[in-house]
Amino acid sequence: SIPATLIESELFGHEKGAFTGATTTKEGLLESAQGGTIFLDEIGELPLATQAKLLRAIESREVRRIGAVRSATIDVRFIAATNRDLPTEVAAKRFRHDLYFRLDGITLLIPPLRERTARLPMLATRFLEQACTARGRGTMQLEPDVFAALQAYDWPGNVRELKAVIERALLLARGNQIGVRHLAFSPRVN
């Protein structure tokens, strides 16, 4: 979610005066994760130039802030996620093959929600509990026909869409029951 123009500064940091607007020295996310784990969500969206710098940081275990003359050593574990098919992106030269192989230590493929419909009742119930707590609402129940409606839908937006549907239903419902009439599925986005 970081704009492409700021991604390098966010990941690697910058020195005061390194560019217009750099009024202070800023430690980057890689450096601030020292001794821990950094989660790179949607790694497939990372610009190619930044991919090269990230690869160097992973391999050398060092980062250099923008405008710095010295590198800082990092001890960080990397976890990356994407909804893109990275081998296809590598073949199309939109993702660096060397970074792909460096990140591909252990791969977990999580099937889309439409292939895990047995989990829908548990997830929907959990999302409803979380939404009720966040909004200070008392306990609410999902009517039995809600589960059938949820399982009939194909979930193009995956788990995030399910969460949004449940939160929207909570806002629409009066009383302590959520029924099919409260479900509003998003139009299909292609």
Side-chain angles (χ1 to χ4, degrees):
S1 66
I2 301 169
T5 55
L6 298 177
I7 191 75
E8 186 177 343
S9 174
E10 289 296 315
L11 287 176
F12 302 103
H14 61 262
E15 295 293 320
K16 180 179 179 180
F19 52 85
T20 304
T23 57
T24 61
T25 295
K26 180 177 183 273
E27 185 178 71
L29 295 172
L30 299 178
E31 201 174 343
S32 68
Q34 183 69 6
T37 302
I38 189 156
F39 175 58
L40 302 169
D41 196 13
E42 297 301 345
I43 190 80
E45 305 295 325
L46 200 61
L48 283 168
T50 309
Q51 289 178 33
K53 292 176 183 177
L54 179 60
L55 175 65
R56 279 194 297 277
I58 292 170
E59 293 202 342
S60 69
R61 296 292 182 182
E62 293 182 339
V63 293
R64 183 177 295 173
R65 295 178 186 162
I66 299 170
V69 293
R70 293 194 181 105
S71 297
T73 302
I74 58 171
D75 176 20
V76 177
R77 175 181 31 230
F78 291 88
I79 298 176
T82 186
N83 66 350
R84 292 187 180 224
D85 180 351
L86 286 185
T88 300
E89 296 297 302
V90 168
K93 301 198 183 307
R94 291 185 297 257
F95 197 84
R96 292 181 59 100
H97 71 281
D98 44 3
L99 179 57
Y100 171 73
F101 291 118
R102 191 67 176 100
L103 291 172
D104 192 33
I106 297 174
T107 299
L108 301 174
L109 295 175
I110 301 173
L113 189 54
R114 69 182 159 272
E115 294 176 15
R116 301 180 285 142
T117 56
R119 301 206 34 129
L120 277 164
M122 182 274 303
L123 289 169
T125 302
R126 180 69 180 131
F127 290 150
L128 179 59
E129 290 169 359
Q130 289 173 342
C132 286
T133 299
R135 287 165 184 75
R137 301 262 316 246
T139 302
M140 296 196 61
Q141 300 294 318
L142 296 168
E143 294 175 359
D145 57 344
V146 167
F147 297 117
L150 295 177
Q151 289 178 320
Y153 187 64
D154 71 349
W155 299 106
N158 227 327
V159 176
R160 288 184 179 116
E161 184 180 8
L162 172 62
K163 186 174 183 182
V165 165
I166 296 299
E167 289 172 349
R168 189 178 309 123
L170 174 65
L171 296 174
L172 295 174
R174 302 286 179 242
N176 64 353
Q177 294 285 316
I178 292 178
V180 172
R181 65 194 173 282
H182 300 115
L183 299 179
F185 298 106
S186 299
R188 182 123 179 124
V189 179
N190 293 327

